[in-house]
Amino acid sequence: MKTQEMLINVGPQHPSTHGVFRVVLTLDGETVVKANSVPGYLHRGIEKILESRTYPQVLPYTDRLDYLAGLLMNWGYVNAMEELMDTEVPERAEHIRVIMGELQRIASHLVATAAYSGDVGGLTGFIYCFRDREDIMDMIEMVSGARLTPSYMRIGGVAADLPDGFLEKCQKFIDYLPTAIEEYNGLITGNEIFQHRTKKVAPITAERAINMSLSGPILRASGVNYDLRKARPYSIYDRFEFDVPLGSNGDCFDRFYLRVLEMTESARIIRQALDKLPDGPINAKVPKIIKPAVGEAYAEIESSKGIMGVYVVSDGSTKPYRIHFRRPSFINLGHFDELIQGWKIADVIAILGSFDIVLGEVDC
Amino acid sequence: MENIFVNAAGGIRNLLESAGLPSLVVDISIMTTIFVAILVFVLLNVLWLVYMERKVSAYIQCRIGPNRVGPMGIFQTIADTVKLISKEIIIPKNTNKKLFLLAPVMIFMPPMAVFAVTPFGKGMVALDLNIGVYYFVALASLSTVVIWMAGWTSNNKYSLLGSMRVVAQMVSYEVPLLLSIVGVVLLTGTMNLTGIITAQQSVWMIFLQPVAFLIYLIAAVAETNRTPFDLVEGESEIITGPFTEYSGMGFAFFFLAEYANVLLVSMLASILFLGGWLAPFGLTFIPSWIWLLLKVYLVIFLLMWFRWTYPRTRIDQMMAFCWKVLVPLAIVNIFVTGIGKYLYESVRW
Amino acid sequence: MFGKGLLKGLKITIGRFFGKKSTVQYPEERLPLPDRFYGKPDFHYDKCIACNLCVNACPNKVIKLGTETVEKKKVVTGYHFDQQYCLFCGLCEEACPTDAIKFTKDFELTTYDRDTIGIEFVKQGQIDKKIKEVKQAAAEKAAAAEKAAAEKAAAETKSQTEEADKAETTNKEGGA
Amino acid sequence: MTVQTISEVKSEIIAKYPQIELSEAGHFFVPVNQLADIMLDLKVSFGFDFLTNVTAVDYLEHFNVVYNLSKTTAPDMLHIITKVDRKEPQVPSMVSIWGGAIWQEREAYDLLGIIFTGHPNLKRILLDDSWEEHPLRRDFQWEGGRD
């Protein structure tokens, strides 16, 4: 008898490649022998477009990188610009940024949880997570006027102050979140079928994770304590008390469950920020026409997917000479081809889901 | 109420006989009427089940579900069917056209054939076969061949993967399904479905054979390709498996056949374990066929509830579960049942 | 124990089955939109001062502002908003010094074809009226200026004569 | 072990490798022919185990290839720039030192046309394989678009 390897093309139109990601698998039965990822189906050339935009005009484009965490993408950019221009951000603005950023992080992790539940076949968990994410979306809409593409942060501050009723709504959501998380744990995490599907699947060792420049929950699931909010605190994260949840095995289950744990920690940060929220201006004194001096800056923040870095080069004009985004999903995916070898086709979907990629960010 | 269908059949027979037709013609026309009645019953139930599944999933997921077509959206399935009928049937290149088109037609045959021997109520059975259980097990597994046919002729790798899974899954789960029924047959001493029901007059089989019921339920979920064992379709991995290339009515047939299968396994579960059309607590003023329907829908709700709670297993885990857990458990169950029966009978005499 | 998690999941879903539903039946019921919502843009012709700030602020070159200089005054003759390219970022609204461009809460922006998606806010009637107003104002201003000039001239001649008189007197005084 | 500040670490590196130029903003300028050795030493001797970012900038006369290194154990970060000839843009690949460079170098190759010698699979990643130019170069001409 002779067996033959089969070449199967997963994506760009496939229900669970989280967008238009494509991976060409060589299968032996149902086992992956070789994989070849082909990203780029959502490449819009944002870095090229930005060469012809002024500095404030860059902002709406950053929303479209990781469209599930638009505020964090905004933050990454303004953070780099503030480093380039040496701007001091007012206290209130920093607190608002932390509150909104952490809300966005919870929203992004909710989508990751939801999508992962859907990837392993439990559609009810998917709907439950989206139901609760809706509250955050409402809050972001309330503050910024848009749900997915907020364009809320500005160089040196934020676009507008928090509206009336926001604080109560936020407080209410934070109080509600633990019950919701308990529900997810009961329905998804605690389910034995789910655990069998995810535990011991595609473990990544800590050394390999660091070597492959993985970041975010994927890196921490392998037990590496590297969260920029603690390791190199930006903004005012050094003033909050929170823990960095760590995994031990680095398998799919750890990567999934870490996000659920991080939601609780984010809620803790929001609670402290709401208590401490000072009065004052929300914008630093920034010239109307932004013209940074010749130079370059690279700054990183901890986005929900990992380390979001922005590299800005200024030639002294009103337009950036070059902007480069270090997109966490893109770099994390670099390890994907190697990781899925030897696993079943159903595991490929589970592993991809545990990476929590957003194609807007991967393809830029 | 109780004998409304039996009386109707008798009435037709009397009418035809009084018209002076030969008895063969009368028999044939009575049989035809009964089969048409079963067909209508199954189709109506299947349409209702599609609607019910959508409603149940919606309610579990904090939604309302279909609510636009008709009161509470009750005509949604009919609207969907009309839409699917009006759609073009796309036949992929390089396929065996005849087999490709034959598969959706054939898929209804196994469940329909089995319905011929199932009792729908007291005295309401089209064909009271004395080896009904055997007949059910033999025919129900035929749908494997049809789904394999659909997957193979689609000329699509996802379909191929799906149909491979079908064969592996159906053939494996056939074994525990069969073994779980053996316990019931041992106790009742008959393979006739009506006989099994009447044997449960004093106590339902679910109380004597709880393990067998559990095994039957799990195997039935696998046999009907529903979550957590819906690897055949596994929409997040292999799109819709063997049905990926089907469109329009071809797809609708597969879709509806799944519900016909659900109806069938639920009906058998109620017949084998829940006392069929027997009324519990002496509530005999409710007709027997309503009792059967109530039990069937209870089992169906259970299946839907599973589907919208659990994630999907992986192929190797599913096979391991079948051969390492279910089959040994079923065999042990048969042994225990046999010994129990022997002891019980030796004590009695 | 194996199966505990499975049962817990069943308990959660059956609870939700009988629980409150959280969806909204969209066309009939609508969720309230916040005041800051960026929906369909709205333009106030009278407030616009044709400063071009919104055009320069837009990241995607959506806005085309047409102006005409009537009697040394800029009059807006066109404000084309190419909505299909709009990012709804609100930078134009932020740049506008007079709140002439605003976003409404209307989010149902679909149209049947591409031609109708761009919005031309300025109507010919508005332009005519404005030009007329500007001209009238200019004419009034001119008339007023003329009048003022005439008055001034008169006053000047008067003052000149007065000054001359004064000068004369001083001269006389000086001379004296 | 005493905790060193980033400036101490930098001066130590400079002391070891006098050929590195330290700019006013604290960026390292490393000559391209010694890049591979220095980078390996930065990982092995100085503990910069995490390659965060690899990118490049086109200055029309030359390319700057930019590396950002950090540590998972300390908040230090290095900004390393190496100037590359524009006609023959060749840089040693970092994949053998940090596996994380694998897709970032492919991206830089795809968009700017910098050839990373020794890269295991230097192919286009975002653009189509049939594409000929490198769009993030400043002299890239294109038709259409919004501007």
Side-chain angles (χ1 to χ4, degrees):
Chain A
M1 208 161 87
K2 206 180 113 200
T3 56
Q4 207 179 354
E5 284 177 353
M6 180 163 79
L7 202 70
I8 192 162
N9 184 34
V10 181
Q13 281 108 11
H14 185 277
S16 38
T17 51
H18 294 221
V20 287
F21 182 62
R22 176 178 166 215
V23 52
V24 183
L25 300 175
T26 311
L27 294 180
D28 174 16
E30 287 224 8
T31 314
V32 178
V33 180
K34 212 180 127 223
N36 183 20
S37 303
V38 188
Y41 286 88
L42 200 62
H43 181 60
R44 294 150 295 180
I46 285 186
E47 288 176 5
K48 187 72 188 172
I49 293 174
L50 297 184
E51 285 177 4
S52 56
R53 300 289 185 269
T54 63
Y55 286 101
Q57 285 176 359
V58 168
L59 208 71
Y61 289 92
T62 59
D63 287 337
R64 276 124 185 117
L65 286 173
D66 178 355
Y67 40 75
L68 295 177
L71 279 163
L72 292 168
M73 297 292 114
N74 285 178
W75 201 354
Y77 170 66
V78 294
N79 189 41
M81 282 308 292
E82 279 148 17
E83 183 161 321
L84 183 68
M85 293 164 63
D86 257 332
T87 314
E88 193 72 22
V89 183
E91 281 288 291
R92 188 174 170 84
E94 290 278 31
H95 278 83
I96 293 175
R97 280 182 184 184
V98 168
I99 293 170
M100 297 311 293
E102 293 302 321
L103 275 177
Q104 184 78 75
R105 190 186 310 276
I106 296 176
S108 170
H109 283 343
L110 276 175
V111 177
T113 312
Y116 200 57
S117 171
D119 282 345
V120 296
L123 277 175
T124 302
F126 180 89
I127 302 270
Y128 286 179
C129 292
F130 265 74
R131 174 197 65 201
D132 299 325
R133 174 176 174 262
E134 208 60 13
D135 289 341
I136 302 180
M137 289 286 112
D138 282 347
M139 276 187 270
I140 290 173
E141 190 184 27
M142 203 171 159
V143 173
S144 71
R147 295 161 68 83
L148 278 178
T149 55
S151 302
Y152 176 61
M153 301 198 183
R154 295 286 182 270
I155 298 162
V158 291
D161 208 340
L162 297 174
D164 295 339
F166 173 82
L167 297 179
E168 292 78 41
K169 212 172 164 183
C170 190
Q171 193 72 48
K172 212 174 127 199
F173 176 77
I174 295 301
D175 292 340
Y176 161 72
L177 193 67
T179 32
I181 288 178
E182 204 174 302
E183 194 173 0
Y184 311 146
N185 281 341
L187 186 68
I188 310 167
T189 323
N191 190 305
E192 276 92 352
I193 300 174
F194 178 82
Q195 292 187 359
H196 271 82
R197 274 296 300 277
T198 51
K199 276 191 176 164
K200 294 181 189 150
V201 171
I204 308 175
T205 60
E207 294 76 43
R208 194 76 191 123
I210 294 172
N211 188 274
M212 288 308 288
S213 301
L214 304 183
S215 54
I218 305 174
L219 178 69
R220 292 193 287 275
S222 301
V224 182
N225 189 350
Y226 189 54
D227 184 328
L228 284 188
R229 290 174 294 172
K230 276 268 193 238
R232 199 190 311 140
Y234 55 96
S235 186
I236 49 167
Y237 274 111
D238 44 353
R239 294 187 213 165
F240 298 111
E241 256 180 52
F242 64 99
D243 299 322
V244 179
L246 293 178
S248 48
N249 305 322
D251 55 11
C252 282
F253 182 80
D254 278 4
R255 291 193 280 268
F256 161 83
Y257 191 51
L258 206 72
R259 296 198 174 90
V260 180
L261 294 176
E262 276 193 10
M263 282 191 238
T264 319
E265 294 304 321
S266 290
R268 250 176 95 187
I269 297 174
I270 296 173
R271 201 184 291 279
Q272 292 169 45
L274 284 175
D275 289 344
K276 284 186 197 163
L277 186 68
D279 286 331
I282 54 158
N283 265 308
K285 285 204 172 61
V286 176
K288 257 214 159 132
I289 293 164
I290 294 173
K291 258 185 169 178
V294 180
E296 57 187 68
Y298 176 76
E300 290 178 338
I301 65 153
E302 183 76 29
S303 150
S304 57
K305 315 279 187 295
I307 294 170
M308 161 78 184
V310 180
Y311 174 60
V312 192
V313 183
S314 164
D315 61 350
S317 70
T318 58
K319 290 175 181 174
Y321 188 77
R322 168 106 165 87
I323 288 186
H324 172 74
F325 297 106
R326 180 223 194 264
R327 291 104 57 202
S329 310
F330 176 75
I331 293 162
N332 291 347
L333 261 186
H335 190 39
F336 182 67
D337 287 356
E338 186 191 316
L339 192 64
I340 61 175
Q341 277 174 29
W343 295 98
K344 299 254 182 309
I345 187 166
D347 292 324
V348 171
I349 303 301
I351 296 165
L352 186 66
S354 76
F355 269 57
D356 184 24
I357 54 164
V358 169
L359 264 293
E361 193 181 46
V362 173
D363 293 346
C364 187
Chain B
M1 274 300 271
E2 171 63 56
N3 291 324
I4 181 163
F5 294 106
V6 179
N7 291 345
I12 295 170
R13 178 177 283 272
N14 287 340
L15 198 73
L16 291 175
E17 274 171 357
S18 60
L21 290 166
S23 65
L24 184 70
V25 177
V26 172
D27 278 351
I28 289 175
S29 27
I30 284 289
M31 269 302 159
T32 319
T33 322
I34 290 173
F35 280 124
V36 169
I38 291 176
L39 188 72
V40 169
F41 168 80
V42 171
L43 281 180
L44 281 180
N45 267 289
V46 162
L47 287 179
W48 165 257
L49 279 180
V50 175
Y51 169 76
M52 181 176 157
E53 175 105 272
R54 295 182 64 178
K55 271 291 188 197
V56 169
S57 73
Y59 273 65
I60 281 178
Q61 296 173 348
C62 311
R63 300 184 282 121
I64 298 174
N67 64 345
R68 298 279 145 169
V69 192
M72 300 276 288
I74 204 160
F75 300 128
Q76 184 67 48
T77 333
I78 296 167
D80 287 346
T81 316
V82 169
K83 186 207 86 175
L84 282 169
I85 288 173
S86 67
K87 284 186 90 167
E88 187 190 350
I89 292 175
I90 298 162
I91 299 168
K93 267 185 196 168
N94 303 329
T95 54
N96 188 333
K97 227 180 195 176
K98 280 177 204 152
L99 281 181
F100 184 78
L101 290 176
L102 200 59
V105 182
M106 299 265 284
I107 190 74
F108 258 111
M109 283 183 172
M112 291 310 286
V114 178
F115 274 117
V117 297
T118 48
F120 289 89
K122 204 186 242 168
M124 287 166 61
V125 52
L127 204 64
D128 205 0
L129 213 59
N130 59 357
I131 48 161
V133 174
Y134 180 77
Y135 178 79
F136 156 70
V137 174
L139 278 188
S141 54
L142 276 183
S143 54
T144 316
V145 181
V146 183
I147 298 179
W148 163 258
M149 197 160 110
W152 180 257
T153 52
S154 288
N155 193 24
N156 178 319
K157 285 169 183 169
Y158 288 109
S159 304
L160 188 64
L161 273 177
S163 41
M164 292 285 205
R165 286 178 176 189
V166 165
V167 176
Q169 173 178 343
M170 297 270 227
V171 168
S172 307
Y173 274 82
E174 203 70 21
V175 178
L177 187 82
L178 192 82
L179 293 178
S180 71
I181 296 175
V182 169
V184 176
V185 174
L186 262 181
L187 286 186
T188 55
T190 173
M191 275 195 170
N192 181 322
L193 290 172
T194 317
I196 289 175
I197 292 173
T198 42
Q200 297 180 60
Q201 201 79 50
S202 52
V203 57
W204 289 0
M205 274 303 151
I206 185 171
F207 300 115
L208 296 177
Q209 292 278 317
V211 180
F213 178 69
L214 207 64
I215 296 170
Y216 177 86
L217 206 63
I218 294 169
V221 171
E223 281 289 298
T224 49
N225 302 326
R226 291 170 66 83
T227 323
F229 302 114
D230 65 335
L231 290 110
V232 174
E233 290 172 29
E235 73 276 352
S236 61
E237 296 148 23
I238 51 169
I239 330 293
T240 35
F243 320 130
T244 308
E245 293 290 348
Y246 283 92
S247 59
M249 214 48 214
F251 180 75
F253 271 138
F254 285 114
F255 194 67
L256 295 177
E258 185 193 323
Y259 288 97
N261 274 320
V262 168
L263 189 68
L264 184 65
V265 295
S266 310
M267 202 164 234
L268 267 140
S270 5
I271 288 169
L272 293 173
F273 295 98
L274 299 176
W277 38 258
L278 291 175
F281 317 119
L283 297 168
T284 40
F285 64 91
I286 300 170
S288 59
W289 46 276
I290 289 190
W291 272 118
L292 182 73
L293 274 184
L294 281 178
K295 289 169 184 172
V296 167
Y297 273 90
L298 189 77
V299 178
I300 290 177
F301 181 78
L302 209 58
L303 293 184
M304 288 186 177
W305 188 12
F306 287 163
R307 174 163 180 181
W308 296 105
T309 306
Y310 295 143
R312 186 181 309 119
T313 54
R314 207 171 58 203
I315 183 90
D316 55 330
Q317 293 165 348
M318 192 190 71
M319 303 304 275
F321 183 63
C322 174
W323 291 107
K324 290 180 187 165
V325 180
L326 286 186
V327 172
L329 206 63
I331 291 173
V332 167
N333 181 55
I334 292 171
F335 267 100
V336 172
T337 312
I339 292 165
K341 191 180 173 182
Y342 177 77
L343 287 177
Y344 180 73
E345 281 175 355
S346 52
V347 164
R348 211 164 47 168
W349 287 298
Chain C
M1 195 198 99
F2 186 87
K4 208 172 149 199
L6 299 178
L7 291 177
K8 195 173 177 195
L10 285 177
K11 198 181 131 206
I12 288 170
T13 42
I14 200 71
R16 286 290 168 197
F17 183 83
F18 294 110
K20 205 171 143 264
K21 307 290 165 257
S22 55
T23 44
V24 172
Q25 299 304 302
Y26 159 59
E28 293 91 26
E29 290 172 59
R30 278 155 194 259
L31 291 169
L33 287 170
D35 293 335
R36 283 181 194 166
F37 186 76
Y38 289 122
K40 191 178 184 165
D42 190 18
F43 177 69
H44 298 279
Y45 183 79
D46 295 328
K47 285 187 188 164
C48 183
I49 52 168
C51 62
N52 240 13
L53 279 177
C54 53
V55 178
N56 290 331
C58 182
N60 218 13
K61 303 186 173 52
V62 170
I63 306 169
K64 279 200 178 56
L65 178 68
T67 52
E68 200 178 290
T69 314
V70 179
E71 305 280 343
K72 287 179 192 160
K73 233 185 145 199
K74 265 187 171 175
V75 174
V76 180
T77 55
Y79 196 88
H80 187 76
F81 196 94
D82 205 354
Q83 210 178 195
Q84 60 183 321
Y85 294 113
C86 182
L87 299 172
F88 296 97
C89 60
L91 288 179
C92 51
E93 188 184 303
E94 212 170 281
C96 185
T98 59
D99 289 345
I101 177 100
K102 275 273 183 200
F103 285 88
T104 62
K105 289 185 187 179
D106 180 8
F107 58 87
E108 289 152 319
L109 308 173
T110 42
T111 57
Y112 281 99
D113 49 277
R114 272 195 166 195
D115 305 333
T116 47
I117 197 161
I119 314 170
E120 179 53 67
F121 282 112
V122 180
K123 310 247 169 3
Q124 192 56 44
Q126 284 177 311
I127 306 170
D128 293 343
K129 200 175 149 210
K130 182 89 178 180
I131 289 178
K132 209 172 138 193
E133 267 172 30
V134 169
K135 276 188 177 161
Q136 202 179 339
E140 267 169 28
K141 204 177 165 191
E146 226 168 74
K147 201 176 162 193
E151 267 172 24
K152 206 177 171 189
E156 263 173 26
T157 43
K158 201 179 165 190
S159 64
Q160 267 175 11
T161 46
E162 264 173 23
E163 262 171 40
D165 288 349
K166 232 182 186 176
E168 254 173 48
T169 45
T170 41
N171 281 347
K172 275 178 191 173
E173 275 166 18
Chain D
M1 198 185 102
T2 50
V3 179
Q4 288 176 305
T5 61
I6 182 69
S7 52
E8 280 170 359
V9 174
K10 278 181 181 169
S11 44
E12 201 176 306
I13 295 167
I14 294 285
K16 192 168 179 188
Y17 293 104
Q19 59 268 50
I20 297 178
E21 227 178 283
L22 184 66
S23 81
E24 255 175 62
H27 304 155
F28 280 175
F29 283 87
V30 178
V32 66
N33 51 359
Q34 284 156 6
L35 184 73
D37 298 337
I38 292 178
M39 290 297 237
L40 185 62
D41 199 45
L42 283 178
K43 184 186 177 183
V44 175
S45 315
F46 293 92
F48 286 93
D49 52 356
F50 198 82
L51 176 77
T52 356
N53 184 38
V54 179
T55 188
V57 192
D58 179 14
Y59 284 103
L60 288 170
E61 303 95 46
H62 61 90
F63 286 120
N64 271 6
V65 181
V66 183
Y67 297 90
N68 291 92
L69 302 181
S70 54
K71 289 179 184 174
T72 50
T73 47
D76 305 348
M77 203 210 282
L78 290 185
H79 192 96
I80 294 162
I81 302 170
T82 179
K83 283 187 183 174
V84 186
D85 179 37
R86 200 166 185 277
K87 287 202 186 84
E88 260 180 64
Q90 286 196 338
V91 191
S93 169
M94 293 296 137
V95 177
S96 52
I97 308 173
W98 294 280
I102 187 158
W103 275 28
Q104 304 200 59
E105 289 185 347
R106 276 179 74 181
E107 189 195 15
Y109 163 74
D110 190 0
L111 300 177
L112 285 131
I114 291 159
I115 292 155
F116 292 89
T117 48
H119 190 285
N121 183 23
L122 197 64
K123 284 198 305 191
R124 287 191 179 273
I125 185 160
L126 294 176
L127 302 177
D128 194 77
D129 284 337
S130 60
W131 199 272
E132 272 165 13
E133 284 169 283
H134 301 285
L136 273 182
R137 290 190 176 186
R138 294 297 289 199
D139 54 2
F140 174 73
Q141 300 287 323
W142 76 97
E143 280 173 16
R146 294 282 295 154
D147 25 28

